[in-house]
């Protein structure tokens, strides 16, 4: 097997030469089969390839090739280095290919298209491997089956490869799409619980960069550190269509530099890709240009000789100025004029693509064309749609036959369509080049059939017409177009326009270090990272609609799913909110307002202003949206919007809540601790065995704090029969702790510091891992607003529901498997004070800052994530333990269906049984088999006894 | 003498009794490989001698 066959199995096509070099090294060639069996080093580089020449396949298949086929013997096990040492420079050679491929795109329209292609390639490779056409080692096959899942495989195929298939989740685990909103597919939703598994993540720069900065948009703030860890360690980042990323490009360069300087688990390089790559912008203050430049992959002479490449590079695209233009004088009639121009130049049975610079202009022209030609197959493409509505339009874009598609810059990058006629508004040169790429893409329209028209924008006198661009940018592009008669890639090669450098905010090292702390400031706000993700005003919020009236807390509205969310520009949403408020006043009606989730108070509250990256709920009567046109804002105020709330829902997470605690099953503290210790042990052995003693201690102590009486009362609810045991999880539907903001993990961490074994390596790290295992107690411990000590003890310290002197019983220590203290342990909140304690012990903050500075933010977050993953996985196993309906015990249903006579009978039998129970072994006798039932050692014992008895009888 | 001595011990009664006996010792109350299905199938009231 070589790369050519691997690539062909995946995509159906043979690779270009540059694709072979990317996968197999600089000496590889598509004509030299021997060179296609090697593997490349993994390091940061640039990929400068024209549009339409398979960049996506190049990077994804190269990553798969190196992950799956690199011989085990040459793949050293990644070690976590000593805190003081650094991982290799991302530009140095690394032969360990990262587990996660993080594919970053500037817009949502590309994300779904890319995800579809990746799914197809994974399935193709899986099918080829299963049928024996691809020869993969067992571990590689296991990775591929994890990625591609078992959907579509026959039962016999699944049985044949059962040892490689993960027992619990059969669905594909990749690609994972990060676009905001709850992921409903369970096999992909929990990707972040499997740091040891491969994954392909595809998302927008908003979603991915915000997570890389520890402030993930559209996700629970308590999971921020997990995504921060997994996207800054053991990843290969691919920044595609960088010309559209704005400041996101500079941020990615700075992150690349920080990952080297602050070190990561395994290398974490970045590939930057574009047809119009601006290398200069990667030269940021902490990311200087290397002496010999960055390694670059581009087309070489052998590529230029390939018929496919030739066809694309030399495709004929005659270009002319359109007779109409947009100016102050024509703005009122512009939509109608342009609509007529489009209809007049549209050719039957082909695609005409019209690209406008603004969403509202695109919407107006769409409506005008619809009026003039109601029978036309028409579509509108922009980024301000909810996904199902956008997909309906995109289906027309990708259909066959006569179509007219009105679009914005959303089609500039990577969208795989080829129009016969392209009509585009004037735009900056790099944008125009991308738009030209959507016309006659493969050179399939011959003899001058393809045509490009550009519509001038007379913005020199009226800069508002240039928005979202600058009038100077348009002037430079206009000057270049005056000289141009053909806009094919070959003709464009000679045109070079130097855009002046924009001044953009630059993420600095101290910023990324400070972002490690996720505690909001005293006013409840977080560090605003939007200026590092999108340029200036180009920032978005996400909106969804529900039938909630003016009180979304009665009933409590759950978090949105991805399909409900519409991205809206921040300035336009603010304008909408302002008009919404005024419309309520004007009509003397009850005001409709937007709502934002408050995780501390665990409720939706009115949002009077909007912040970049925020998610806001509107009542359906607020309007502002049309399924056909997308976001209309104030133009559609008060027009009812159909809610897309799904049936399957998850409640928003709050500070005090613990969704895993009310897990539909009773699990003792003893059992849960044992399960987490086992899961942690497995995970640590594969990722960081040097830290085993530290992690095993943290796993054992992590839930000790659940033995606090307030927490146990919450779990038990009104069932005093449960008081005999200490519980970790409850089958009750839910409950509130009597101590506001109570966090059991703080109690666990304090107990560890006070009485945990002194000889455990990295004691402070153990304490931190315990405290941070739900993401709610991390660098600092301080009281929340509203947390007051009881009136009879006004001077007592209180934080996160824990008070000085609260006790944990000796039984709790027995339950977690450690020698119990002679008396209950009284917790001390002394570590929350600043400075050293009276006995010279450092404060909590001093300890955690020292950890952060010693391990550095990326690696400390990664260590934190490992225990969280183990805990969550153990909890999932417990709650899904009894499986087949026939075997389901249905505790609650059983208890409630009993008659009084039956209850009396049970009481009598149980009383008898308990009176003699001490005569039998107390420890649990059952072992999980993972096959939906438990293996009973008692039954085994009985069977052995029977066999022995039979043998004796026979003798 | 034959009677359906175990008739009052319906399956819900058996399950609930089992659950309450498991609790104090922290035993996991869940199906086992051969300790659940066979008794459940055989749990039919029938006349028996003591």
């Amino acid at each position: 097997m070589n790369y050519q066959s691997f690539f062909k199995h995946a995509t159906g096509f043979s690779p270009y030469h540059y694709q072979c070099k990317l996968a197999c090294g600089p000496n590889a060639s598509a004509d030299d089969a021997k060179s296609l069996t090697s593997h490349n080093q993994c390091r940061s580089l640039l990929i400068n390839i024209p549009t339409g020449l398979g960049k996506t396949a190049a990077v994804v298949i190269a990553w798969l090739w190196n992950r799956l086929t690199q011989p085990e013997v040459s793949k050293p096990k990644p070690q976590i280095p000593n805190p003081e040492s650094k991982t290799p420079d991302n530009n140095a050679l690394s032969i360990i290919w990262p587990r996660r491929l993080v594919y970053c795109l500037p817009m949502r329209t590309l994300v779904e298209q890319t995800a579809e292609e990746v799914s197809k390639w994974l399935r193709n490779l899986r099918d080829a491997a299963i049928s024996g056409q691809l020869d993969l080692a067992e571990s590689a096959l296991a990775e591929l089956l994890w990625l591609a899942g078992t959907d579509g495989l026959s039962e016999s195929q699944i049985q044949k490869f059962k040892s490689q298939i993960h027992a619990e989740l059969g669905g594909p685990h990749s690609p994972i799409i990060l676009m905001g909103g709850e992921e409903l597919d369970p096999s992909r939703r929990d990707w972040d619980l499997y740091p040891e598994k491969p994954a392909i993540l595809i998302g927008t720069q908003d979603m991915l960069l915000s997570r890389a900065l520890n402030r993930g948009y559209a996700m629970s703030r308590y999971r921020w550190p997990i995504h921060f860890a997994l996207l800054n360690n053991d990843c290969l980042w691919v920044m595609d269509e960088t010309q559209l990323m704005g400041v996101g490009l500079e941020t990615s360069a700075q992150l690349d530099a920080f990952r080297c300087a602050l070190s990561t688990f395994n290398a974490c390089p970045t590939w930057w890709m574009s047809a119009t790559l601006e290398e200069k912008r990667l030269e940021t203050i902490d990311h200087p240009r290397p002496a010999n430049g960055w390694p670059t992959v581009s087309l070489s002479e052998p590529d230029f000789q390939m018929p496919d490449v030739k066809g694309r590079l030399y495709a004929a695209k005659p270009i002319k100025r359109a007779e109409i233009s947009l100016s102050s004088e024509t703005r009122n009639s512009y939509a109608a004029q342009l609509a007529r121009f489009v209809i007049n130049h549209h050719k039957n049975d082909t695609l005409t693509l019209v690209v406008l610079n603004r969403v509202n202009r695109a919407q107006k022209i769409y409506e005008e064309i619809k009026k003039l030609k109601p029978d036309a197959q028409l579509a509108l493409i922009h980024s301000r749609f909810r996904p199902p509505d956008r997909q309906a339009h995109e289906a027309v874009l990708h259909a066959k036959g006569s179509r007219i598609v009105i679009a914005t810059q959303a089609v500039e990058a990577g969208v795989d369509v080829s129009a016969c006629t392209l009509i585009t508004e004037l735009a900056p040169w790099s944008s125009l080049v991308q738009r030209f790429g959507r016309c006659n893409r493969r050179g399939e329209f011959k003899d001058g059939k393809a045509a490009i028209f550009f519509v001038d924008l007379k913005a020199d006198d009226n800069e508002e017409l240039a928005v979202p661009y600058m009038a100077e940018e348009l002037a430079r592009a206009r000057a270049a177009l005056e000289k141009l008669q053909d806009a094919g890639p070959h003709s464009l090669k000679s045109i070079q326009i130097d855009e002046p450098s924009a001044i953009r905010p630059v993420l600095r090292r101290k910023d990324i270090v400070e972002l490690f702390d996720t505690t909001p400031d005293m006013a409840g706000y977080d560090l605003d990272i939007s200026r590092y993700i999108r340029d200036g005003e180009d920032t978005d919020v996400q909106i969804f609609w529900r039938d909630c009236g003016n009180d979304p807390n009665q009933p409590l509205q759950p978090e949105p799913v991805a399909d409900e969310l519409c991205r809206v520009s921040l300035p336009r949403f603010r304008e909408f909110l302002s008009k919404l408020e005024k419309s309520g006043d004007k009509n003397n009606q009850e005001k409709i307002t937007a709502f934002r989730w408050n995780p501390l108070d665990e409720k939706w509250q009115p949002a009077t202003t909007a912040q970049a990256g925020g998610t806001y709920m509107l009542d359906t009567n607020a309007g502002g949206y049309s399924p056909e046109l997308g976001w209309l804002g104030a133009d559609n105020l008060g027009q009812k919007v159909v809610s897309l709330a799904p049936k399957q829902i998850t409640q928003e997470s709050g500070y005090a809540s613990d969704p895993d605690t009310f897990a539909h099953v009773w699990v003792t503290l003893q059992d849960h601790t044992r399960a987490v210790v086992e899961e942690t042990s497995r995970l640590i052995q594969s990722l960081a065995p040097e830290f085993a003693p530290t992690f095993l201690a943290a796993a054992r102590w992590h839930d000790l704090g659940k033995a606090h009486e307030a927490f146990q009362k919450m779990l038990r609810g009104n069932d005093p029969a449960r008081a005999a045991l200490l519980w970790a999880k409850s089958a009750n539907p839910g409950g509130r702790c009597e101590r506001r903001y109570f966090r059991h993990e703080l109690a666990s961490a304090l107990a560890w510091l006070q009485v945990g074994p002194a000889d455990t390596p990295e004691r402070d790290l153990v304490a931190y891992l315990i405290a941070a295992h739900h993401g709610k107690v991390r660098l600092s411990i301080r009281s929340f607003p509203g947390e007051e000590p009881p009136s009879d003890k006004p001077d007592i310290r209180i934080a996160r529901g824990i008070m000085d002197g609260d006790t944990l019983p000796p039984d709790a220590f027995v339950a977690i498997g450690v020698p119990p203290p002679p008396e209950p342990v009284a917790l001390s909140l002394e570590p929350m004070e600043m400075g050293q304690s009276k006995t010279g012990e450092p404060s909590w903050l001093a300890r955690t800052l020292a950890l952060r500075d010693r391990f550095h933010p990326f690696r400390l977050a990664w260590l934190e994530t490992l225990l969280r993953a183990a805990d969550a996985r153990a909890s999932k196993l417990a709650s899904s333990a009894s499986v087949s309906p026939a075997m389901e015990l249905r505790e609650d249903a059983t208890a409630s269906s009993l008659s009084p006579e039956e209850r009396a009978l049970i009481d009598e039998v149980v009383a008898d049984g308990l009176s003699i129970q001490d005569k039998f072994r107390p420890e649990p006798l059952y072992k999980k088999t993972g096959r939906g039932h438990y293996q009973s050692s008692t039954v085994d014992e009985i069977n052995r006894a029977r066999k022995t008895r039979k043998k004796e009888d026979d003798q | 003498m034959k009677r359906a001595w175990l008739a009052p011990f319906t399956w819900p009664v058996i399950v609930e009794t089992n659950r309450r006996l498991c609790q104090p010792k922290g035993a996991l109350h869940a199906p086992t490989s051969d300790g659940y299905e066979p008794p459940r199938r055989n749990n039919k009231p029938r006349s028996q001698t003591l």
Side-chain angles (χ1 to χ4, degrees):
Chain A
M1 175 178 65
N2 64 20
Y3 188 63
Q4 184 144 59
S5 58
F6 188 87
F7 192 95
K8 200 153 184 190
H9 279 303
T11 65
F13 299 101
S14 294
Y16 297 126
H17 291 277
Y18 89 88
Q19 290 168 329
C20 296
K21 285 186 196 318
L22 194 57
C24 303
N27 298 325
S29 161
D31 298 328
D32 176 5
K34 208 168 155 199
S35 72
L36 299 180
T37 55
S38 57
H39 301 84
N40 203 356
Q41 313 291 347
C42 188
R43 55 185 171 166
S44 293
L45 52 79
L46 312 186
I47 300 173
N48 190 354
I49 302 286
T51 67
L53 288 177
K55 290 199 294 297
T56 308
V59 304
V60 174
I61 311 297
W63 176 81
L64 282 167
W65 166 257
N66 286 280
R67 270 304 300 179
L68 298 179
T69 68
Q70 195 165 37
E72 283 296 324
V73 68
S74 71
K75 217 192 287 188
K77 202 170 158 51
Q79 299 275 332
I80 185 158
N82 287 327
E84 283 77 29
S85 76
K86 291 176 188 232
T87 49
D89 187 324
N90 279 335
N91 274 328
L93 305 181
S94 170
I95 58 172
I96 307 164
W97 279 69
R99 284 180 174 81
R100 284 173 290 284
L101 177 67
V102 181
Y103 202 106
C104 182
L105 288 154
M107 49 194 50
R108 290 176 79 160
T109 41
L110 294 172
V111 168
E112 284 158 348
Q113 177 188 289
T114 307
E116 262 180 49
E117 291 291 292
V118 169
S119 291
K120 197 171 61 181
W121 299 332
L122 286 174
R123 270 197 312 275
N124 290 345
L125 284 172
R126 179 203 68 188
D127 293 347
I130 294 268
S131 63
Q133 294 172 280
L134 264 187
D135 183 23
L136 294 177
E138 199 173 297
S139 58
L141 182 58
E143 283 209 351
L144 182 57
L145 287 170
W146 173 267
L147 288 166
T150 54
D151 285 356
L153 293 184
S154 68
E155 197 52 44
S156 57
Q157 285 174 320
I158 293 172
Q159 286 306 320
K160 190 177 164 197
F161 292 97
K162 205 147 172 74
S163 61
Q164 283 90 16
I165 295 171
H166 195 281
E168 288 172 8
L169 300 168
H173 295 94
S174 279
I176 297 129
I177 297 179
L178 290 176
M179 285 204 302
E182 185 197 359
E183 169 64 72
L184 293 177
D185 177 358
S187 62
R188 282 181 252 230
R189 180 176 53 217
D190 295 331
W191 69 272
D192 49 5
L193 300 185
Y194 297 93
E196 78 281 23
K197 297 288 191 187
I200 299 175
L201 296 105
I202 307 174
T204 59
Q205 71 189 71
D206 307 82
M207 290 299 146
L208 290 173
L209 288 180
S210 65
R211 281 154 175 74
L213 298 178
N214 210 11
R215 296 294 184 274
Y217 290 166
M219 65 176 291
S220 163
R221 63 180 302 120
Y222 307 117
R223 291 174 81 90
W224 284 346
I226 300 180
H227 287 207
F228 175 71
L230 296 178
L231 294 180
N232 284 306
N233 290 276
D234 203 7
C235 287
L236 169 61
W237 275 75
V238 175
M239 307 294 289
D240 194 8
E241 309 293 355
T242 57
Q243 74 283 355
L244 292 174
M245 287 188 173
V247 69
L249 180 58
E250 280 83 354
T251 299
S252 71
Q254 288 292 93
L255 281 171
D256 188 54
F258 298 146
R259 290 177 192 129
C260 297
L262 298 173
S263 60
T264 57
F265 170 74
N266 202 8
C268 196
T270 304
W271 291 355
W272 291 275
M273 300 210 293
S274 176
T276 49
L277 201 53
E278 295 164 272
E279 228 182 274
K280 235 176 143 3
R281 288 181 56 199
L282 293 175
E283 278 184 59
T284 55
I285 185 150
D286 295 298
H287 193 250
R289 188 174 184 280
N292 298 326
W294 287 287
T296 302
V297 170
S298 50
L299 293 181
S300 56
E301 197 46 48
D303 287 305
F304 291 125
Q305 299 311 315
M306 296 178 103
D308 232 7
V309 177
K310 256 188 182 165
R312 287 170 190 266
L313 291 182
Y314 292 93
K317 307 187 191 188
I319 181 167
K320 273 192 223 168
R321 177 195 287 263
E323 302 99 52
I324 55 166
S325 61
L326 176 63
S327 64
S328 307
E329 291 78 31
T330 63
R331 64 191 308 170
N332 290 338
S333 56
Y334 176 68
Q337 284 182 355
L338 183 55
R340 271 191 290 276
F341 183 87
V342 169
I343 289 169
N344 290 343
H345 288 85
H346 172 64
K347 297 185 178 80
N348 272 340
D349 283 330
T350 67
L351 168 65
T352 292
L353 182 60
V354 186
V355 187
L356 293 306
N357 295 346
R358 302 209 66 182
V359 171
N360 57 359
R361 283 208 292 270
Q363 289 166 331
K364 285 196 176 99
I365 284 152
Y366 173 89
E367 287 187 297
E368 286 292 330
I369 294 179
K370 198 171 171 193
K371 267 193 269 184
L372 291 173
K373 208 169 163 55
D375 58 337
Q377 203 179 5
L378 208 52
L380 176 62
I381 308 282
H382 58 72
S383 56
R384 308 306 184 194
F385 273 112
R386 294 187 295 197
D389 302 321
R390 190 185 67 248
Q391 282 152 17
H393 282 289
E394 282 176 357
V396 174
L397 176 67
H398 294 293
K400 304 261 179 255
S402 192
R403 292 109 68 217
I404 299 174
V405 174
I406 318 300
T408 61
Q409 300 91 314
V411 295
E412 269 177 30
V415 174
D416 190 15
V417 286
S418 184
C420 182
T421 308
L422 170 70
I423 301 164
T424 170
E425 285 185 334
L426 186 64
W429 183 249
S430 57
S431 291
L432 284 177
V433 169
Q434 292 293 329
R435 296 179 193 189
F436 298 157
R438 308 306 128 200
C439 177
N440 201 12
R441 203 163 150 77
R442 291 172 283 279
E444 69 273 30
F445 298 108
K446 313 277 183 211
D447 304 323
K449 191 173 179 193
I452 298 179
F453 298 93
F454 75 91
V455 178
D456 199 0
L457 307 181
K458 311 266 193 213
D460 294 343
D461 301 326
N462 184 351
E463 286 191 353
E464 201 204 322
L465 296 179
V467 172
Y469 306 116
M470 310 284 289
E472 298 79 23
E473 294 178 294
L474 300 188
R476 281 190 289 274
R478 188 188 296 116
L481 286 171
E482 304 291 359
K483 304 176 217 160
L484 208 57
Q485 290 181 326
D486 183 272
H490 186 71
S491 311
L492 296 180
K493 255 168 56 171
S494 55
I495 301 190
Q496 188 65 36
I497 297 193
D498 287 325
E499 302 281 2
S501 320
I503 297 173
R504 294 187 165 103
V506 172
L507 181 77
R508 300 306 306 275
R509 178 171 169 147
K510 73 165 187 60
D511 297 320
I512 196 76
V513 171
E514 279 174 11
L515 282 168
F516 179 79
D517 185 6
T518 48
T519 317
D521 65 25
M522 297 303 288
Y525 291 109
D526 295 304
L527 277 172
D528 179 14
I529 50 149
S530 60
R531 64 188 185 276
Y532 302 125
I533 297 188
R534 290 271 182 195
D535 283 341
E537 293 292 303
D538 183 21
T539 46
D540 287 350
V541 296
Q542 299 201 100
I543 314 297
F544 66 106
W545 287 262
R546 292 277 173 83
D547 291 312
C548 62
N550 261 340
D551 192 357
N553 297 305
Q554 296 293 341
L556 187 64
Q557 291 291 329
E559 68 175 283
V561 298
D563 274 358
E564 292 184 87
L565 294 171
C566 175
R567 297 198 72 82
V568 176
S569 89
L570 179 60
R572 287 213 65 194
F573 185 60
R574 282 180 173 156
E575 180 197 328
F576 176 80
L577 282 185
S578 162
K579 298 222 165 120
L580 189 65
E581 188 175 347
K582 286 175 187 156
S583 78
D585 287 336
K586 198 170 151 193
N587 300 331
N588 286 329
Q589 284 166 357
E590 211 178 340
K591 280 189 202 169
I592 300 178
T593 185
F595 297 92
R596 188 168 183 182
W597 180 249
N598 181 331
L600 270 187
D601 291 343
E602 295 181 32
K603 61 182 186 186
W604 295 96
Q605 64 187 38
T608 46
T609 61
Q611 310 289 336
T615 301
Y616 299 91
M617 172 167 51
L618 287 169
D619 181 64
T620 49
N621 289 315
Y625 184 85
S626 143
E628 194 181 3
L629 299 174
W631 172 256
L632 292 166
D635 292 344
N636 210 34
L637 198 67
Q639 301 296 314
K640 194 166 172 76
V641 178
V642 172
S643 165
L644 295 183
K647 291 196 185 77
Q648 179 185 334
I649 50 179
T650 302
Q651 291 299 342
E652 284 276 4
S653 59
Y655 184 78
S657 66
D658 262 320
D660 287 344
T661 292
F662 290 94
H664 308 293
V665 65
W666 288 99
V667 182
T668 63
L669 179 59
Q670 182 179 25
D671 277 344
H672 177 62
T673 301
R674 187 180 299 134
V676 175
V677 168
E678 281 174 13
E679 197 66 40
T680 303
S681 175
R682 268 195 291 272
L683 195 54
I684 281 298
Q685 283 309 316
S686 69
L687 290 176
E690 313 85 282
F691 279 80
T694 304
F695 270 84
L696 291 177
R700 193 165 292 288
W701 286 68
H702 82 289
D703 269 356
L704 176 69
K706 285 189 175 180
H708 192 290
E709 182 51 25
F711 196 88
Q712 288 296 304
K713 266 195 202 161
M714 177 181 72
L715 293 185
R716 290 193 302 259
N718 293 328
D719 190 352
R722 297 271 174 197
L725 285 176
L726 289 171
W727 299 99
K729 294 183 193 296
S730 169
N732 286 334
R736 271 209 168 280
C737 189
E738 62 192 21
R739 294 271 188 98
R740 207 172 169 210
Y741 305 125
F742 184 87
R743 294 312 314 170
H744 66 272
E745 59 268 37
L746 176 58
S748 306
L750 291 173
W752 165 262
L753 284 176
Q754 285 175 235
V755 298
D759 58 352
T760 306
E762 299 283 358
R763 280 191 98 246
D764 283 349
L765 179 59
V766 173
Y768 178 76
L769 294 176
I770 291 170
H773 83 265
H774 285 292
K776 297 180 178 180
V777 181
R778 298 180 70 241
L779 282 194
S780 74
I781 309 172
R782 62 164 202 255
S783 310
F784 279 140
E787 263 202 289
E788 299 292 340
S791 51
D792 58 335
K793 295 176 195 168
D795 296 328
I796 205 172
R797 284 181 289 232
I798 179 169
R800 317 295 168 100
I802 313 282
M803 287 194 249
D804 264 331
D806 280 352
T807 56
L808 297 177
D811 277 355
F813 294 83
V814 174
I816 67 170
V818 303
E823 294 168 347
V825 171
L827 299 176
S828 167
L829 279 164
E830 197 170 44
M832 76 183 271
E833 303 279 0
M834 298 290 282
Q836 282 187 347
S837 71
K838 292 184 192 117
T839 49
E841 294 293 320
S843 67
W844 178 262
L845 183 61
R847 293 173 199 256
T848 53
L849 289 180
L851 287 172
R852 183 200 66 185
D853 295 340
R854 192 158 61 90
F855 286 95
H856 299 306
F858 300 136
R859 287 198 301 202
L860 184 56
W862 185 80
L863 291 172
E864 187 180 331
T865 294
L866 298 187
L867 182 63
R868 292 187 72 172
D871 183 31
R873 279 152 65 161
S875 299
K876 268 162 67 81
L877 275 175
S879 61
S880 62
S882 61
V883 151
S884 85
M887 299 179 79
E888 197 179 271
L889 285 179
R890 295 182 156 273
E891 270 184 73
D892 292 346
T894 302
S896 63
S897 64
L898 297 167
S899 67
E901 292 78 23
E902 285 173 326
R903 286 182 192 279
L905 176 60
I906 291 167
D907 286 343
E908 195 180 340
V909 172
V910 167
D912 269 350
L914 288 177
S915 70
I916 60 171
Q917 205 171 53
D918 286 337
K919 294 186 170 56
F920 297 91
R921 274 183 301 179
E923 69 269 20
L925 303 172
Y926 308 122
K927 186 170 83 180
K928 283 180 201 152
T929 63
R931 290 192 291 274
H933 58 246
Y934 291 79
Q935 183 181 324
S936 162
S937 58
T938 303
V939 172
D940 283 348
E941 191 175 319
I942 293 170
N943 287 338
R944 278 197 300 276
R946 277 188 187 143
K947 279 186 192 148
T948 308
R949 173 72 181 269
K950 191 167 181 312
K951 229 189 211 174
E952 285 168 2
D953 286 345
D954 289 342
Q955 282 168 357
Chain B
M1 182 170 51
K2 275 192 178 181
R3 271 199 198 158
W5 301 104
L6 297 176
F9 289 90
T10 59
W11 190 245
V13 167
I14 290 170
V15 168
E16 178 62 9
T17 305
N18 191 278
R19 181 184 77 79
R20 286 177 55 183
L21 286 171
C22 283
Q23 259 179 24
K25 295 298 180 184
L28 190 62
H29 176 60
T32 62
S33 52
D34 45 15
Y36 180 92
E37 268 302 308
R40 193 184 68 81
R41 275 197 301 271
N42 290 331
N43 181 248
K44 295 169 195 137
R46 53 178 183 268
S47 290
Q48 297 168 295
T49 59
L50 277 174

